[in-house]
Amino acid sequence: MTIINRRKIYIFLYCLGLIALAIFFHADHFLNGDEGVTLNGAWNLYNGRRLYFDFFSFLPPLSFYLIAALWYVVGVSFWSAKILSIFFLLLGALGLYKIAEKLKPGNFNLLVPFFFILSSSWLWIINHNFFQLILVIWSSYFFIIYLSSRRRRFLFIAALLAGFSLITLQQKGLAFGGASGLFLLFQPLELGFRNRIKPVLLYIFGILASLVVLLLFWPPVLLWNNLLIFPLFNYLESNRISYNLLLLAFVAFVALIFTLRTQLTKSKLFLLVITGALLISCYPLPDYYHLSLALSPLIALLPELLLSIKGWRRDLWSWLSLGILSYLWLWPVSIFFAFLLFNFSFSAPYPFLDYIRRECPGEYLHVGPFLPGVYLETGKLSATSFDILITGHQTESQFIQAAAQLKAAPPSCAVTVFSPSLRRFRHDINNPVDVFIRDNYQPVFFDGAITVWRRAFLEP
């Protein structure tokens, strides 16, 4: 057997190992609020409801339509959405590896996809945040190819993918696209104004080409109000948490810049610029989840960062950057592995779901404040236009609208979930929706923080 054939076998086994690892880490079926938002948006579309008209969302449409399209082909199930997301995870790992190879070819780059899958092991991946990251990775890859080749077709592909990332998640898409466009604009002056502005215009055109699809289905005013005005004035305050992790991430980011300062290329500088922009976009909710995603492009630089401390010499910036990044990436992973150690089940038992399927007739259900995955799991639709109803997050008029919809067509059952994680939202239970449920429904089933309510006048 030749050395080349042996290497191909090793690479093949390595890839199989990565696939097995990704499946093992994500072969779980738990109820998660963030995944539920994406799944319920697709579930509504699958059942003929119109996004932004029949049901409210402040998220762009791509993740919803992606899963709904999958379901039209293979049928509705949680697992088909999970398998698609695992495929995207592997696609992201491949993209980061290809970026690392563009920066500096070498066998050490095989660490990159492994580390990406490992650091993503605890993440909820059926989610618009995760889908947007994969688009960012591949847009960055084609952008870096353009920087080295100056072939504009690669820049146009990068722009299209950046546009798709924007219609997956608006604030991160804007941060990424804006940072990429500015990077193009601030090229060396010796190129001349015309040679600097043409790529910028092409990049803007590529992004706009992706966004045109929105205007084919929704009026601009509706998009403006749902996707810009609402999150700008409602998302930030209800999600406010400590900014300590964000500051820590920026310390690691600055330390990495100092580590690479003597060997910065255009491609490395680009990765640093977009990562800085993605970190800034985490300002509304700088938790481990969003920061881990924002820092993911830097995984392509991990081999170079490790090599910068070759010989274990005392390099303050290298150690500081590596230490903080390892903490931000791997601390949640350690908690995840501790969970696996003490819980070998990859599918959590939820008795309340069986109760709803058995005892709650009708097509509709109400679930609040924040566990929209219940709708898909029970095969029911939301009795209101909202899958989330958290005070401070939704407006007072939206609560009044939802209460009116419940009053006009009350479902047989309602579900309330007041978990400890809801405390950071400072949800007020004396809102029109929760008051209506308490006045017209009786609690009939308890499952931890979850209560199932049944209409008071229904026969048992």
Side-chain angles (χ1 to χ4, degrees):
M1 183 181 297
T2 65
I3 294 176
I4 294 177
N5 288 336
R6 188 181 297 119
R7 176 179 169 79
K8 288 181 179 179
I9 292 174
Y10 289 154
I11 294 296
F12 176 73
L13 293 175
Y14 174 75
C15 292
L16 283 182
L18 291 180
I19 293 170
L21 201 63
I23 293 173
F24 173 75
F25 285 149
H26 296 285
D28 52 58
H29 187 175
F30 296 98
L31 280 173
N32 172 263
D34 291 323
E35 284 194 337
V37 170
T38 304
L39 289 168
N40 192 54
W43 176 238
N44 279 323
L45 292 176
Y46 185 83
N47 283 277
R49 288 184 165 184
R50 299 172 301 162
L51 178 61
Y52 310 133
F53 293 108
D54 298 326
F55 68 98
F56 173 80
S57 178
F58 62 92
L59 295 170
L62 188 56
S63 59
F64 302 145
Y65 278 90
L66 191 63
I67 294 178
L70 173 71
W71 285 344
Y72 277 116
V73 175
V74 303
V76 178
S77 76
F78 172 88
W79 287 110
S80 60
K82 175 70 80 166
I83 291 170
L84 177 67
S85 300
I86 292 174
F87 170 76
F88 284 145
L89 171 63
L90 295 167
L91 199 62
L94 175 62
L96 285 173
Y97 171 74
K98 291 178 75 67
I99 290 174
E101 282 287 286
K102 282 291 178 183
L103 299 179
K104 187 177 182 180
N107 291 332
F108 205 26
N109 290 330
L110 291 172
L111 173 67
V112 170
F114 167 77
F115 190 84
F116 178 65
I117 291 173
L118 175 66
S119 64
S120 304
S121 59
W122 66 281
L123 298 177
W124 305 103
I125 60 173
I126 310 176
N127 189 254
H128 45 276
N129 287 281
F130 187 74
F131 294 167
Q132 194 265 347
L133 171 64
I134 307 307
L135 289 166
V136 163
I137 289 172
W138 279 96
S139 177
S140 300
Y141 170 68
F142 285 106
F143 196 102
I144 288 172
I145 292 180
Y146 164 75
L147 291 177
S148 60
S149 68
R150 310 306 293 183
R151 295 179 181 174
R152 291 180 179 173
R153 68 174 181 270
F154 294 117
L155 181 62
F156 185 69
I157 295 172
L160 286 175
L161 292 173
F164 290 141
S165 82
L166 203 157
I167 57 178
T168 305
L169 191 58
Q170 61 270 55
Q171 83 274 12
K172 291 184 179 180
L174 283 170
F176 173 72
S180 302
L182 288 174
F183 187 87
L184 284 173
L185 186 62
F186 290 99
Q187 292 297 300
L189 294 177
E190 57 265 24
L191 291 176
F193 177 77
R194 181 175 295 180
N195 289 329
R196 284 186 290 126
I197 201 66
K198 280 184 177 179
V200 175
L201 294 177
L202 177 63
Y203 193 77
I204 292 173
F205 176 75
I207 290 178
L208 293 178
S210 302
L211 299 181
V212 163
V213 67
L214 296 178
L215 300 178
L216 297 177
F217 297 98
W218 298 282
V221 173
L222 182 63
L223 295 172
W224 175 265
N225 288 329
N226 280 48
L227 303 185
L228 290 174
I229 298 301
F230 181 87
L232 186 62
F233 291 101
N234 294 275
Y235 185 83
L236 181 61
E237 194 59 37
S238 64
N239 284 281
R240 191 171 295 280
I241 63 173
S242 169
Y243 294 102
N244 291 339
L245 286 177
L246 182 60
L247 291 174
L248 196 62
F250 269 107
V251 170
F253 179 70
V254 171
L256 182 60
I257 293 174
F258 275 94
T259 299
L260 302 175
R261 65 190 181 277
T262 60
Q263 45 192 328
L264 272 182
T265 62
K266 280 186 179 180
S267 297
K268 293 174 190 175
L269 183 59
F270 170 71
L271 283 182
L272 291 171
V273 167
I274 63 157
T275 301
L278 291 172
L279 284 175
I280 293 172
S281 74
C282 291
Y283 174 76
L285 184 54
D287 57 7
Y288 278 109
Y289 183 87
H290 293 88
L291 289 175
S292 294
L293 294 176
L295 291 168
S296 290
L298 296 184
I299 295 177
L301 291 168
L302 187 59
E304 194 151 352
L305 177 57
L306 292 171
L307 289 173
S308 71
I309 52 177
K310 184 178 179 181
W312 303 100
R313 60 187 174 85
R314 293 184 178 276
D315 187 323
L316 174 62
W317 295 117
S318 299
W319 283 111
L320 184 62
S321 178
L322 183 61
I324 297 176
L325 288 174
S326 297
Y327 169 73
L328 292 172
W329 277 323
L330 299 180
W331 171 247
V333 175
S334 67
I335 297 174
F336 170 78
F337 275 102
F339 172 79
L340 283 183
L341 185 64
F342 294 104
N343 182 0
F344 294 99
S345 171
F346 284 91
S347 183
Y350 295 106
F352 83 98
L353 293 177
D354 293 329
Y355 180 89
I356 293 171
R357 297 184 189 109
R358 185 177 64 251
E359 302 293 341
C360 297
E363 184 181 359
Y364 298 97
L365 181 71
H366 170 75
V367 183
F370 184 40
L371 199 63
V374 172
Y375 295 115
L376 173 65
E377 297 293 339
T378 58
K380 298 182 183 295
L381 294 169
S382 171
T384 75
S385 301
F386 308 93
D387 57 1
I388 304 173
L389 281 167
I390 303 173
T391 57
H393 193 283
Q394 270 61 47
T395 65
E396 183 179 353
S397 62
Q398 287 177 328
F399 270 91
I400 293 172
Q401 178 187 349
Q405 290 172 335
L406 287 174
K407 184 177 181 180
S412 61
C413 293
V415 180
T416 55
V417 188
F418 296 113
S419 61
S421 61
L422 200 64
R423 292 171 188 162
R424 71 176 173 87
F425 292 105
R426 297 176 290 279
H427 178 71
D428 182 5
I429 62 173
N430 295 312
N431 61 76
V433 170
D434 286 322
V435 168
F436 177 83
I437 291 171
R438 291 197 300 269
D439 289 347
N440 295 275
Y441 289 74
Q442 295 176 341
V444 291
F445 193 88
F446 300 93
D447 188 358
I450 300 169
T451 302
V452 179
W453 303 72
R454 190 175 170 89
R455 281 174 59 190
F457 53 85
L458 284 180
E459 292 294 330

